[in-house]
Amino acid sequence: MVHMEGCLIFDLSNVDCIDEIGMHARHYLMESVQKQKGIAHFR
């Protein structure tokens, strides 16, 4: 994870698989960041 002036970058490049629970967690995390006027990027 990298933080850059209101922007979070989550580097998932070494992740082989994300299950349904992980996808829900990612979704809620992105919503939370956006509600606080931030920007979340996943790569």
Side-chain angles (χ1 to χ4, degrees), residues 15-30:
V15 175
D16 292 330
C17 179
I18 299 176
D19 63 7
E20 185 177 353
I21 294 170
M23 288 302 291
H24 284 291
R26 177 191 165 282
H27 172 76
Y28 291 122
L29 180 59
M30 286 190 70

Side-chain angles (χ1 to χ4, degrees), residues 22-39:
M23 288 302 291
H24 284 291
R26 177 191 165 282
H27 172 76
Y28 291 122
L29 180 59
M30 286 190 70
E31 280 186 345
S32 178
V33 170
Q34 291 171 348
K35 285 179 184 175
Q36 300 207 17
K37 308 292 188 236
I39 301 169

